[in-house]
Amino acid sequence: MNKTVLITGATSGIGLACARKFAENGDRLILSGRKENLLSDIRSELTAKGTEVLTLTFDVRDRDKAKQCIQALPGEWQEIDVLVNNAGLALGLEPEYEGSFEDWETMIDTNIKGLLTMTRLVVPGMVERNRGHIINIGSVAGDAAYANGNVYCATKSAVKTISDGLRIDVAHTAIRVTNLKPGLVETNFSNTRFHGDTERAANVYKGIKPLTGDDIADVAVYAANAPAHVQIAEVLILATHQGSGSVIVRSKE
Ligand code: NDP
Ligand code: 8X3
């Protein structure tokens, strides 16, 4: 059965790959993001292939706007089956005692509070219908801190705990909760983390074949299509030469 899938941060990287993979799977999509022009490009690309797409432009940190957008969904789009809480970012990579207050606020407001906002807005309808799936994009960074990752790692650790808590709270329903924990995925992530320093960002992926957004989207689509009695609770997805959040074996050339 095709589903209505809402993806946050659908304009880039893992979110964009999820949009394309869920579309290939025959689902209808609510794509949200901050960049209206990019959302419009993706809508054109996917509708040309026969996918029904609705776009919502808002920042997940803007609770009022998010609420307004979700409450104003046209009737035929109100029954969201899958919520992919993907919007998120890392800002900075420095010792905790030298971190930027502003970067910390942005990460906490987006990765934790934005994800909670979307969950709070969408999940009550799922509970009413006794149907739904929340797929949170956590990270290997949430399993253990790595050097200079401090606050970003803490936000992803929160995503794990929030996912675990929600899974318990909806265990009396048919709703499923999945926490996907990617390792090194080559997207715009490092450009954002290093505030546009593209050379520093490129070095993150030197000497190792990183994961792609598609690799993560494949797992998201798999989890969403597992038989109804199967709850893919958590998946850690690493690049092959990555042993953990901090162990990455790079080739010399
Ligand atoms: P990208 O930078 O390519 O994509 C991030 C997406 O999130 C963009 O669409 C971005 O939109 C959106 N976003 C950021 N802040 C907000 C906001 N306040 N409101 C709405 N949308 C927002 O990075 P990734 O695809 O790699 O990141 C996606 C998720 O995956 C994040 O949660 C990240 O933490 C997680 N992750 C990434 C890994 C990696 O190695 N790349 C590994 C593990 C987890 P905009 O362009 O407007 O900023
Ligand atoms: C993104 C992957 O290893 O940079 O969450 O934290 S990592």
Side-chain angles (χ1 to χ4, degrees):
M1 196 190 75
N2 59 0
K3 296 177 279 302
T4 300
V5 181
L6 190 164
I7 302 167
T8 65
T11 54
S12 175
I14 295 170
L16 177 56
C18 283
R20 291 181 172 138
K21 290 278 179 183
F22 277 103
E24 274 170 31
N25 189 54
D27 296 317
R28 60 211 291 271
L29 305 178
I30 303 174
L31 303 180
S32 87
R34 296 189 287 192
K35 296 178 175 139
E36 197 156 13
N37 57 332
L38 292 184
L39 287 172
S40 160
D41 290 348
I42 305 155
R43 185 178 54 218
S44 304
E45 175 194 320
L46 298 179
T47 49
K49 293 179 185 161
T51 303
E52 275 186 89
V53 179
L54 181 85
T55 58
L56 298 177
T57 309
F58 66 88
D59 185 313
V60 294
R61 293 172 298 172
D62 185 342
R63 192 167 289 155
D64 290 339
K65 183 80 190 290
K67 193 172 179 183
Q68 197 185 315
C69 286
I70 298 299
Q71 287 180 344
L73 280 172
E76 71 277 19
W77 289 95
Q78 278 175 11
E79 297 198 356
I80 296 164
D81 298 299
V82 182
L83 167 64
V84 183
N85 270 321
N86 163 76
L89 76 175
L91 288 171
L93 187 68
E94 59 260 310
E96 197 165 308
Y97 54 86
E98 290 175 358
S100 145
F101 289 120
E102 208 183 343
D103 286 352
W104 291 354
E105 301 280 8
T106 305
M107 288 188 280
I108 291 167
D109 287 350
T110 310
N111 301 359
I112 304 179
K113 291 162 72 179
L115 177 144
L116 280 171
T117 293
M118 295 309 296
T119 303
R120 182 67 184 83
L121 292 174
V122 172
V123 176
M126 293 180 171
V127 172
E128 251 175 58
R129 294 185 293 279
N130 191 30
R131 188 178 85 232
H133 195 149
I134 300 90
I135 300 178
N136 289 332
I137 307 299
S139 171
V140 64
D143 281 357
Y146 53 74
N148 302 324
N150 45 71
V151 174
Y152 175 69
C153 295
T155 66
K156 291 301 180 176
S157 193
V159 171
K160 180 192 160 37
T161 306
I162 288 165
S163 305
D164 290 347
L166 181 63
R167 197 176 303 110
I168 293 165
D169 294 343
V170 297
H172 63 293
T173 74
I175 297 168
R176 304 182 289 188
V177 181
T178 300
N179 181 26
L180 293 187
K181 305 186 298 183
L184 212 59
V185 188
E186 190 164 13
T187 61
N188 204 43
F189 177 85
S190 294
N191 281 323
T192 300
R193 169 170 249 173
F194 299 128
H195 297 280
D197 181 340
T198 48
E199 204 180 315
R200 196 170 172 204
N203 278 334
V204 173
Y205 311 107
K206 277 232 171 94
I208 182 166
K209 187 172 169 51
L211 298 162
T212 65
D214 280 350
D215 296 324
I216 309 309
D218 279 337
V219 183
V221 172
Y222 175 81
N225 289 284
H229 67 287
V230 178
Q231 177 169 220
I232 308 291
E234 198 171 280
V235 186
L236 175 66
I237 309 145
L238 298 177
T240 297
H241 291 288
Q242 177 170 25
S244 71
S246 51
V247 175
I248 293 164
V249 180
R250 298 177 194 274
S251 62
K252 293 281 179 286
E253 32 111 24

